[in-house]
Coordinates of all heavy atoms in Angstrom, one line a residue:
L29 N 99.4 243.8 142.7 CA 99.1 245.2 143.3 C 99.6 246.2 142.3 O 98.9 247.2 142.0 CB 99.8 245.3 144.7 CG 99.5 246.5 145.4 CD1 98.0 246.5 145.8 CD2 100.4 246.7 146.6
S32 N 97.5 246.5 139.4 CA 96.1 247.1 139.5 C 96.3 248.6 139.6 O 95.4 249.4 139.3 CB 95.4 246.5 140.7 OG 96.2 246.6 141.8
L33 N 97.5 249.0 140.1 CA 97.7 250.5 140.1 C 98.0 251.0 138.7 O 97.4 252.0 138.3 CB 98.9 250.8 141.0 CG 98.6 250.6 142.5 CD1 99.9 250.9 143.4 CD2 97.5 251.5 143.0
A35 N 96.9 249.8 136.0 CA 95.7 249.8 135.2 C 94.9 251.1 135.3 O 94.0 251.4 134.5 CB 94.8 248.6 135.6
Q36 N 95.2 251.9 136.4 CA 94.4 253.1 136.6 C 95.1 254.3 135.9 O 94.6 255.4 136.0 CB 94.2 253.5 138.1 CG 93.9 252.3 139.0 CD 92.7 251.4 138.5 OE1 91.8 251.9 137.8 NE2 92.8 250.1 138.8
P39 N 93.0 256.2 132.8 CA 91.9 257.2 133.0 C 92.5 258.6 133.4 O 92.1 259.6 132.9 CB 91.1 256.7 134.2 CG 91.4 255.2 134.2 CD 92.7 255.0 133.5
F40 N 93.6 258.5 134.3 CA 94.2 259.8 134.7 C 94.8 260.5 133.5 O 94.7 261.7 133.3 CB 95.3 259.5 135.7 CG 94.8 259.3 137.1 CD1 94.7 258.1 137.6 CD2 94.4 260.4 137.9 CE1 94.2 257.9 138.9 CE2 93.9 260.2 139.2 CZ 93.8 258.9 139.7
R43 N 92.2 261.9 131.3 CA 91.6 263.2 131.8 C 92.5 264.4 131.7 O 92.1 265.4 131.2 CB 91.2 262.9 133.3 CG 90.6 264.2 133.9 CD 90.2 263.9 135.4 NE 91.3 263.7 136.3 CZ 91.2 263.6 137.6 NH1 90.0 263.6 138.1 NH2 92.2 263.5 138.3
L153 N 91.9 240.9 138.7 CA 90.7 241.6 138.2 C 90.0 242.3 139.4 O 89.6 243.5 139.3 CB 89.6 240.6 137.6 CG 90.1 240.1 136.2 CD1 89.1 239.0 135.7 CD2 90.1 241.3 135.2
F154 N 89.9 241.6 140.5 CA 89.2 242.2 141.7 C 90.1 243.3 142.3 O 89.5 244.3 142.8 CB 88.7 241.2 142.6 CG 87.5 240.5 142.2 CD1 87.6 239.4 141.3 CD2 86.3 240.9 142.6 CE1 86.4 238.8 140.8 CE2 85.1 240.4 142.1 CZ 85.2 239.3 141.2
A155 N 91.4 243.1 142.3 CA 92.3 244.2 142.8 C 92.1 245.5 141.9 O 91.9 246.5 142.4 CB 93.7 243.7 142.7
N156 N 92.1 245.2 140.6 CA 91.7 246.3 139.6 C 90.5 247.0 140.0 O 90.5 248.3 140.1 CB 91.6 245.8 138.3 CG 92.8 245.9 137.4 OD1 93.8 246.4 137.9 ND2 92.8 245.4 136.3
A157 N 89.4 246.2 140.2 CA 88.1 246.8 140.4 C 88.1 247.6 141.7 O 87.6 248.7 141.8 CB 87.1 245.7 140.5
A158 N 88.8 247.0 142.8 CA 88.7 247.7 144.0 C 89.5 249.0 144.0 O 88.9 250.1 144.4 CB 89.4 246.8 145.1
V159 N 90.6 249.0 143.3 CA 91.4 250.3 143.2 C 90.7 251.3 142.4 O 90.5 252.5 142.8 CB 92.8 250.0 142.6 CG1 93.6 251.3 142.4 CG2 93.6 249.1 143.5
A160 N 90.0 250.8 141.3 CA 89.3 251.8 140.4 C 88.1 252.4 141.2 O 87.8 253.6 141.1 CB 88.8 251.0 139.2
L161 N 87.5 251.6 142.0 CA 86.3 252.1 142.7 C 86.8 253.2 143.8 O 86.1 254.2 143.9 CB 85.6 250.9 143.5 CG 84.1 251.1 143.7 CD1 83.4 251.3 142.4 CD2 83.6 249.8 144.4
V162 N 87.9 252.8 144.4 CA 88.4 253.8 145.4 C 88.7 255.1 144.7 O 88.4 256.2 145.2 CB 89.6 253.2 146.1 CG1 90.3 254.3 147.0 CG2 89.3 252.0 147.0
V163 N 89.4 255.0 143.6 CA 89.8 256.2 142.8 C 88.5 257.0 142.4 O 88.5 258.2 142.6 CB 90.6 255.9 141.6 CG1 90.9 257.1 140.7 CG2 91.9 255.2 142.0
M164 N 87.4 256.3 142.0 CA 86.2 257.0 141.6 C 85.6 257.7 142.7 O 85.2 258.9 142.7 CB 85.2 255.9 141.1 CG 85.4 255.5 139.7 SD 84.2 254.3 139.2 CE 83.0 255.4 138.3
F165 N 85.6 257.1 143.9 CA 85.0 257.7 145.1 C 85.9 258.9 145.5 O 85.3 260.0 145.9 CB 85.0 256.7 146.3 CG 83.6 256.1 146.4 CD1 83.5 254.8 146.0 CD2 82.6 256.8 146.9 CE1 82.2 254.2 146.1 CE2 81.3 256.1 147.1 CZ 81.2 254.9 146.6
M166 N 87.2 258.8 145.4 CA 88.0 259.9 145.7 C 87.9 261.1 144.8 O 87.9 262.3 145.3 CB 89.5 259.5 145.8 CG 89.8 258.8 147.1 SD 91.4 257.9 147.2 CE 92.5 259.0 146.3
A167 N 87.6 260.8 143.6 CA 87.5 261.9 142.6 C 86.1 262.6 142.8 O 86.0 263.8 142.7 CB 87.6 261.3 141.2
N168 N 85.1 261.7 142.9 CA 83.7 262.3 143.1 C 82.8 261.3 143.8 O 82.6 260.2 143.3 CB 83.1 262.7 141.8 CG 81.9 263.5 141.9 OD1 80.8 263.0 142.3 ND2 81.9 264.8 141.6
L169 N 82.3 261.8 144.9 CA 81.4 260.9 145.7 C 80.2 260.3 145.0 O 79.9 259.1 145.0 CB 81.0 261.6 147.0 CG 80.1 260.8 147.9 CD1 80.8 259.7 148.6 CD2 79.4 261.7 149.0
Y170 N 79.6 261.2 144.2 CA 78.3 260.8 143.5 C 78.5 259.8 142.4 O 77.8 258.8 142.3 CB 77.6 262.1 143.0 CG 77.2 263.0 144.1 CD1 77.9 264.2 144.3 CD2 76.2 262.6 145.1 CE1 77.6 265.1 145.4 CE2 75.9 263.5 146.2 CZ 76.6 264.7 146.3 OH 76.3 265.5 147.3
V171 N 79.6 260.1 141.6 CA 79.9 259.1 140.6 C 80.2 257.7 141.2 O 79.8 256.7 140.7 CB 81.1 259.6 139.7 CG1 81.2 258.7 138.5 CG2 80.8 261.1 139.2
G172 N 81.0 257.8 142.3 CA 81.3 256.5 143.0 C 80.0 255.8 143.4 O 79.9 254.6 143.2
L173 N 79.1 256.6 143.9 CA 77.8 256.0 144.4 C 77.1 255.3 143.2 O 76.5 254.2 143.4 CB 77.0 257.0 145.1 CG 77.4 257.4 146.5 CD1 76.6 258.5 147.1 CD2 77.4 256.1 147.4
V174 N 77.0 256.0 142.1 CA 76.4 255.4 140.9 C 77.0 254.1 140.5 O 76.3 253.1 140.3 CB 76.3 256.4 139.7 CG1 75.9 255.8 138.4 CG2 75.4 257.6 140.0
A175 N 78.3 254.1 140.4 CA 79.1 252.9 140.0 C 78.7 251.8 141.0 O 78.5 250.6 140.6 CB 80.6 253.1 140.1
V176 N 78.7 252.1 142.3 CA 78.4 251.1 143.3 C 76.9 250.5 143.2 O 76.7 249.4 143.3 CB 78.7 251.5 144.7 CG1 78.1 250.6 145.8 CG2 80.2 251.8 144.9
L179 N 76.4 247.8 140.7 CA 77.1 246.5 141.0 C 76.1 245.4 141.5 O 76.2 244.2 141.0 CB 78.2 246.7 141.9 CG 79.4 247.4 141.4 CD1 80.6 247.4 142.4 CD2 79.8 246.8 140.1
F290 N 87.4 260.0 132.2 CA 88.1 259.5 133.4 C 87.2 258.4 134.1 O 87.6 257.3 134.4 CB 88.4 260.6 134.3 CG 89.0 260.3 135.6 CD1 90.3 259.8 135.7 CD2 88.3 260.5 136.8 CE1 90.9 259.6 137.0 CE2 88.8 260.2 138.0 CZ 90.1 259.7 138.1
H291 N 85.9 258.8 134.4 CA 85.0 258.0 135.1 C 84.5 256.7 134.3 O 84.3 255.7 134.9 CB 83.8 258.8 135.6 CG 84.2 259.6 136.9 ND1 84.6 259.0 138.0 CD2 84.4 260.9 137.0 CE1 84.9 260.0 138.9 NE2 84.8 261.1 138.3
L293 N 86.2 255.2 132.0 CA 87.3 254.2 131.9 C 87.4 253.5 133.3 O 87.6 252.3 133.4 CB 88.6 254.8 131.6 CG 88.8 255.2 130.1 CD1 90.2 255.7 129.9 CD2 88.6 254.0 129.2
L294 N 87.3 254.2 134.3 CA 87.3 253.6 135.7 C 86.2 252.6 135.9 O 86.4 251.5 136.4 CB 87.3 254.7 136.8 CG 88.6 255.5 137.0 CD1 88.4 256.6 138.0 CD2 89.7 254.5 137.4
F295 N 85.0 253.0 135.4 CA 83.9 252.1 135.6 C 84.1 250.8 134.8 O 83.7 249.7 135.3 CB 82.6 252.8 135.1 CG 81.4 252.0 135.3 CD1 80.9 251.7 136.6 CD2 80.7 251.4 134.2 CE1 79.8 250.9 136.7 CE2 79.6 250.6 134.4 CZ 79.1 250.4 135.7
N296 N 84.8 250.9 133.7 CA 85.1 249.8 132.9 C 86.0 248.8 133.7 O 85.8 247.6 133.7 CB 85.8 250.2 131.6 CG 85.8 249.1 130.6 OD1 84.8 248.5 130.5 ND2 86.9 248.9 129.9
N297 N 86.9 249.4 134.4 CA 87.8 248.6 135.3 C 87.0 247.9 136.4 O 87.3 246.7 136.8 CB 88.9 249.4 136.0 CG 90.0 249.7 135.0 OD1 90.0 249.1 133.9 ND2 90.9 250.5 135.4
V298 N 86.0 248.6 136.9 CA 85.1 248.0 138.0 C 84.2 246.9 137.4 O 84.1 245.8 138.1 CB 84.2 249.1 138.5 CG1 83.3 248.5 139.6 CG2 85.0 250.2 139.2
S299 N 83.7 247.0 136.2 CA 82.8 246.0 135.7 C 83.4 244.8 135.1 O 82.8 243.7 135.0 CB 81.7 246.6 134.8 OG 82.4 247.2 133.7

Side-chain angles (χ1 to χ4, degrees):
L29 187 67
S32 56
L33 291 177
Q36 322 306 332
F40 278 102
R43 181 174 67 175
L153 288 174
F154 282 83
N156 262 358
V159 175
L161 209 55
V162 170
V163 176
M164 278 180 101
F165 265 103
M166 277 168 41
N168 188 291
L169 176 71
Y170 298 109
V171 187
L173 284 176
V174 168
V176 171
L179 292 188
F290 175 73
H291 281 294
L293 285 185
L294 284 176
F295 183 69
N296 198 41
N297 281 354
V298 174
S299 60

